[in-house]
Amino acid sequence: MSTLQLLTRLVCGVFLLLATPASKGALILNEVMANNVSAYSHSGSYPDWVELYNNEAAPVALAGLSLTDNLSQPLKFIFPASTPALAAGGYLVVFCDTATNAPGIHTGFSFSSVGEEVGLYGNSGTTLLDSLKFGLQPADYSIGRMPNGGSASPWVLTRPTPALANTAQPVGNQINLRINEWMARPSTGDDWIELYNTDPLPVSLGGLVFTDKTSFPLTNRPIRALSFIAPDEYLEFFASNLAKSDPNHLDFKIGSAGETITLYMTNPITLLDRVIFGAQSIDISQGRLPDGSSSIQFLAKPSPGISNFQPITNVVVNEILTHTDPPLEDAVELFNPTPVPVNIGYWWMSNSRNTPKRYQFPPNTIVPAGGYYVVYENAFRNSNPAYPNFTFNSAHGDSCQLYSADSAGNLLGGRGEVKFGGGQNGVSFGRYVTSIGEEFVAMSQRTFGVDAPVVVDQFRQGKGKANAYPAVGPLVIREVMYHPTDVGTNDNILDEYVELYNITGAAVRLYDLATENILPGAPTNSWSLAGVVTYQFPRLMTAQPEAHILIVGFNPDTDTAQAAAFRAKYALPADTLLLGPWKGKLTNSGGTIDLVKPDPVQVPPHPDAGFLPTILVERLQYGDAAPWPTGTDGLGKCLHRVKLEGFANDPVNWVASAPGPGRLGTPRIAGISIGSTGDAVIEFEAVAGASYAVESSPTLRPATWTATGMTSAATPVTQMTSIWIQIPTRTRGLYFRLVTPAP
């Protein structure tokens, strides 16, 4: 042992000997943060925390004391023997999270923002030194003792001041609370009531009473003490008849045939707000629109915990660019699908449902009929002093909302919204209309108007234009066998598979090389499947050009007998990759399959330094009923992609087909004859039950295959058949291919 180590131990030992044992009233809970969204950052995250305070004139020993969030389990966290004593008049912030590798003391448990209890115990957990029970906590506010440090001081709402004296947060008037929305007939889950705070200050809710009774005396349970609602916040209360004892659960249910809901003061006699309504419809809520107003409407899109709205239909968010470097910057393109110009002056744009007023469009901002309007980052980033860094989160993904408003900036209740995941550098997200609705997905090209600028000022000249086709590939989901023929009465999970195919003529790394160079061996640095099944591809794997990869629910490396049986069942070519096992199951009733890849790890000085973003390559949300093919549900057929280059998440691009994993389904061609006019006839062996089509492309690599309209219907037996190809006149270098199944 070195002299320095010995001296350190001696000093610590003397200090511990001088410390007095903790006693009730000497060491206290002084401040608690239970909903830390962005108020206090620690080692890259925002943990809950508890602040201890020593109001004695001597140090207090902490070793052996314990903290808990459940008074029936006093020893959930025990301060280690090495914990230094807390100096006289000193503060100690204890982080309530599981990030034990980060600096500081971490309890391993966190708090619930809807209500919790905290206990500080002496040695062995038998003596309760201090405790607190609190209710609903608004984001980024704490609760603390005022005056600071007094063992008898009451708890109030405070501004977060970890390791500093507490500062009280002024609160507003309860008369400004509104019952804003309610749901009496949900198809699933509990009835609910939304409370909205119209006051510019947070408001105390402790002791207030919700009731459905119309006569006194009231016996309903009051809201727990130390409950608060932030300004302009929407809180959801579950009318569950106390299905749970949490402070956000009420002791009654809402009558779907009509009801009266009242909010009373703590007396409870003084009425704060009341709504009276009639019969309700399933999954349709009713509420004030605009928020807090006297106008009550049925809402086809319920919005518990966020602003009430009706969908905006005359202007839509059409394209967004979120991950940029010069000469590009973030951008949002709006589109007006109507024949009438729309004035969006004074409207708001945001990336937070709870904070709609982040960017306001200038007066007389016109989106022309059938036209576009683009707003760039230089306009919206610093437009509002309250949100000087309003940009979209390209690493984690984000959302964009458009809110209608009047000339005073008051919300009128209209909202449009799109959501998107992590974005690749320079790749935009855009609106794409499928056969069953709209998707907001990565695009194959940017289409803001000036999309290959030399400097950012050029990019800002773009006025918008029609979106390109969605990005597809380089790997695509080609076949999905989600419900093979059952084995007796048992689900045949061993014959399930997801087939991926490399549609390019180049090898594709299934990992991020940049991240591999920074974090060698990063376990998440490879492509993966997510959704109803999850699978992480092996490290440093590469998909060869036009490679077929099958993911299955068993381990083909260890279960060699099953692997051999699987290959034989589906007549897999020897070069077809077989990988597994996945976790989960391809659900028979339908589900989501995501193919995702890693983006480069975030590096300093980025605020998310160390975070490894993921990019959605493509998503398939299949079903077992129309409009999805119905012959794939236990009848021996699989979902087969019609166009490899077509958008994945659209039922029209999928058919029920005999399984053909590992093969593109190219039929055995017996012969090709060319007529005197240049027309051709392809003769081939058609497999029973399969249909065929001819597609053409002006180039072979890269190929852009399009349907020619020349097809062959399915035959009842395997037999020779033919398709006549009409070759356009003056055609040079046109390629054809025969594919199955036909679109």
Side-chain angles (χ1 to χ4, degrees), residues 675-691:
S676 59
T677 61
D679 297 342
V681 176
I682 299 179
E683 187 178 14
F684 60 95
E685 182 182 60
V687 177
S691 60

Side-chain angles (χ1 to χ4, degrees), residues 481-497 562 569-570 585 588:
M481 176 60 84
Y482 69 87
H483 189 184
T485 304
D486 293 338
V487 180
T489 58
N490 297 324
D491 213 8
N492 181 9
I493 61 175
L494 292 177
D495 288 336
E496 294 179 357
Y497 64 82
Q562 177 58 37
K569 177 180 178 65
Y570 292 116
K585 183 192 181 305
N588 297 342

